[in-house]
Amino acid sequence: MAEPDRTPDLLVRPSDEERERVARRLQDAAAAGRVGLDELDARLAEIYGAGTRGELAHAGRGLPEPTRADLLVVPDEPGSRFAMSVFGWFSRRGRWVAPPVFTSLSVFGGGEIDLRDARFAGREIRVRAFALWGYTEVVVPDDVEVEVKGFGLFGAFDRRAARAERGAPRVVISGLALFGGVGTKTRKPPAGRG
């Protein structure tokens, strides 16, 4: 039977994704004025030349740890761009990548767009919700900026989730509620995510 690998974590070779995460933190620190351009160049060379996780950690020394809001924006491909219900119900929730523009249509039906466990394809995403004799609920995490600017015509477009959170990713909710409703709620992200 093979002996299990007991290599200490700091001696493990880093992945390209780990290098890119540290490089993004360094670039953000430079953009905030925490690191000068000369140091940025030297430390980027250290990051891409690191042979172990320990060397990579040393290259990222003194940088602020990313917050959950920093980790929301990812370079991945969006999971879906559209949801529709006609005399039924749709649900878009769980782990997914929200596109720059997500559109929903509820006609004599309803739906739920839950962004609490989603990652965003950009610093700003737009949710366009159209509820025609139906109802759509948009749930946003409590650590993002939210602007609600939809319109209710013989219906209701709820603005309870509207809030400012400087420096955080932004969600803009717009659309139309015609003889129906669009509800917005703010909730904490699921525990252990981020």
Side-chain angles (χ1 to χ4, degrees):
M1 184 167 211
E3 184 73 20
D5 187 3
R6 299 187 190 279
T7 306
D9 192 53
L10 292 178
L11 297 178
V12 172
R13 296 181 85 47
S15 69
D16 289 341
E17 183 180 331
E18 290 170 317
R19 291 179 206 277
E20 289 303 320
R21 266 197 309 260
V22 177
R24 276 195 303 271
R25 285 176 46 213
L26 179 62
Q27 290 163 343
D28 290 345
R34 296 175 194 261
V35 175
L37 292 179
D38 291 339
E39 185 180 356
L40 173 67
D41 286 341
R43 286 178 72 171
L44 281 173
E46 256 186 273
I47 289 168
Y48 291 110
T52 65
R53 285 182 176 166
E55 292 173 4
L56 185 60
H58 184 264
R61 68 197 174 278
L63 300 176
E65 287 297 320
T67 64
R68 194 192 94 79
D70 294 330
L71 299 174
L72 281 175
V73 180
V74 296
D76 301 337
E77 194 62 30
S80 62
R81 299 176 192 279
F82 183 76
M84 181 173 74
S85 67
V86 179
F87 294 103
W89 181 265
F90 73 82
S91 182
R92 191 64 188 102
R93 64 185 323 184
R95 304 267 304 167
W96 64 296
V97 178
V101 178
F102 184 85
T103 304
S104 73
L105 175 63
S106 300
V107 181
F108 293 105
E112 165 191 51
I113 304 164
D114 190 339
L115 298 170
R116 291 177 299 154
D117 209 11
R119 297 298 177 259
F120 300 168
R123 294 283 307 164
E124 177 177 293
I125 65 165
R126 295 181 174 272
V127 175
R128 298 182 319 168
F130 299 94
L132 313 175
W133 291 276
Y135 178 76
T136 300
E137 181 172 85
V138 183
V139 182
V140 295
D142 65 354
D143 54 358
V144 299
E145 181 178 344
V146 181
E147 181 180 356
V148 181
K149 55 184 189 178
F151 180 70
L153 180 63
F154 300 108
F157 210 104
D158 181 20
R159 288 174 164 67
R160 279 183 288 179
R163 59 193 301 275
E165 186 75 26
R166 285 183 51 104
R170 178 178 159 87
V171 177
V172 178
I173 303 168
S174 63
L176 172 68
L178 177 65
F179 292 102
V182 175
T184 63
K185 291 183 180 176
T186 301
R187 297 270 193 273
K188 288 195 175 301
R193 298 296 174 115

